[in-house]
Amino acid sequence: MNKLIENDCCSGLEGILLPKMFKALSDPNRVSILIRLAECCAPCSVSEVAECCPVDLSVVSRHLAILREAGILEAQKRGKEVYYTVCSRTLVNTLRRIADALESCCPVDADPEVN
Amino acid sequence: MNKLIENDCCSGLEGILLPKMFKALSDPNRVSILIRLAECCAPCSVSEVAECCPVDLSVVSRHLAILREAGILEAQKRGKEVYYTVCSRTLVNTLRRIADALESCCPVDADPEVN
DNA sequence: ATTACATTTGCATAGTGGCACAAACGAGAA
DNA sequence: TTCTCGTTTGTGCCACTATGCAAATGTAAT
């Protein structure tokens, strides 16, 4: 309880560093799904996405829903199928904003040998 | 099973999109801890960090270990105390690399109305 | 209407995660 | 050494999560 300056430089970090988004990406299968969709570069149906992980189709469906609710994917129904797409703009902007905030806050990695 | 081009544009996405890092940030208390350390801009002891969340000190200690093992924090023992610092450079670089890879892969948000 | 197919949802189960409390560990001070 | 303080670790509990399977829902074609 000496310094604890509580710098406000990382303005808004609380607003962007949302656990919900990270929780969505904390599962290996969900990450595989995201990579699959990113590499595909086009909307993919649930069945197509499911090829990337060794779990039941229903599980993939649930994972897709979690990613969608986290704002990482977008769903679009077309006929019998549901096509999922990566919300890349949102995702990229969020990651960059977090990086910027962290960088402005801890400029030079808060050199461990400061004092 | 028509196109599924499996573009390799997001080169190395599998290498950087590691669930371990996201898992570490998937808990609200751990995010609070990270923000606390980022705002502090200087090494903080476990007890100092613990002021930011309403859980037992032992729990904070475990959270710090998880963040450290994920490469997000760095620990440095000094006397009786252990001081934690944000590995901001690593973290920032990782976030930017993910953003870059995603962007190069899905340039214009993979416009949902393509075909 | 009936059928076929794609996806979602209900349910049960096994595994994981966060938590508090207590005990152990480690390092400096008396 | 003994004491004290800061941190870590062991343990048990409760909640949540991922999973598979089966049933339900929805949609297009016959």
Side-chain angles (χ1 to χ4, degrees), chain A residues 45-64:
Chain A
S45 71
V46 178
S47 305
E48 286 169 345
V49 173
E51 295 170 11
C52 77
C53 24
V55 294
D56 195 86
L57 190 74
S58 67
V59 175
V60 173
S61 173
R62 267 186 255 257
H63 281 320
L64 286 166

Side-chain angles (χ1 to χ4, degrees), chain A residues 54-96:
Chain A
V55 294
D56 195 86
L57 190 74
S58 67
V59 175
V60 173
S61 173
R62 267 186 255 257
H63 281 320
L64 286 166
I66 290 171
L67 288 165
R68 176 172 44 77
E69 283 157 23
I72 294 169
L73 302 183
E74 213 173 17
Q76 186 188 4
K77 189 154 196 169
R78 218 184 296 172
K80 278 188 283 191
E81 286 146 11
V82 177
Y83 285 86
Y84 282 88
T85 324
V86 180
C87 296
S88 58
R89 183 151 307 285
T90 310
L91 195 46
V92 166
N93 286 346
T94 304
L95 293 172
R96 294 226 169 100

Side-chain angles (χ1 to χ4, degrees), chain B residues 12 15 19-20 24 39 63 65 69-70 88 92 94 97 102 108:
Chain B
K20 185 172 186 177
E39 284 175 346
H63 280 321
E69 282 157 23
S88 57
V92 165
T94 303
R97 273 171 42 184
L102 278 172
V108 200

Side-chain angles (χ1 to χ4, degrees), chain A residues 1-10 13-15 17-28 31 34-44 48 51 74 76 78 83 85-92 95-96 98-100 102-103 105-115, chain B residues 1-10 13-15 17-28 31 34-44 48 51 74 76 78 83 85-92 95-96 98-100 102-103 105-115:
Chain A
M1 44 180 73
N2 28 11
K3 44 207 167 190
L4 283 194
I5 306 176
E6 281 284 341
N7 219 322
D8 197 37
C9 46
C10 331
L13 243 193
E14 314 87 14
L17 213 48
L18 304 170
K20 184 172 186 178
M21 176 188 142
F22 294 112
K23 191 185 273 290
L25 296 174
S26 69
D27 180 83
V31 169
L34 175 60
I35 292 175
R36 161 70 149 190
L37 280 166
E39 283 175 348
C40 191
C41 286
C44 281
E48 286 169 345
E51 295 170 11
E74 213 173 17
Q76 186 188 4
R78 218 184 296 172
Y83 285 86
T85 324
V86 180
C87 296
S88 58
R89 183 151 307 285
T90 310
L91 195 46
V92 166
L95 293 172
R96 294 226 169 100
I98 294 172
D100 290 346
L102 277 172
E103 193 174 54
C105 197
C106 320
V108 200
D109 223 39
D111 191 327
E113 302 306 324
V114 162
N115 54 346
Chain B
M1 45 181 71
N2 28 12
K3 44 206 167 191
L4 284 194
I5 306 176
E6 282 284 341
N7 219 321
D8 197 37
C9 46
C10 331
L13 243 192
E14 313 87 16
L17 214 48
L18 304 170
K20 185 172 186 177
M21 176 189 142
F22 295 113
K23 191 184 273 287
L25 295 174
S26 69
D27 180 81
V31 169
L34 175 59
I35 293 175
R36 162 69 147 190
L37 279 166
E39 284 175 346
C40 191
C41 286
C44 281
E48 285 170 346
E51 294 169 12
E74 213 173 17
Q76 186 187 6
R78 218 183 296 173
Y83 285 86
T85 324
V86 180
C87 296
S88 57
R89 181 151 309 285
T90 310
L91 193 46
V92 165
L95 293 172
R96 294 227 169 99
I98 295 172
D100 291 346
L102 278 172
E103 193 174 53
C105 198
C106 321
V108 200
D109 223 39
D111 189 327
E113 303 305 323
V114 162
N115 54 344

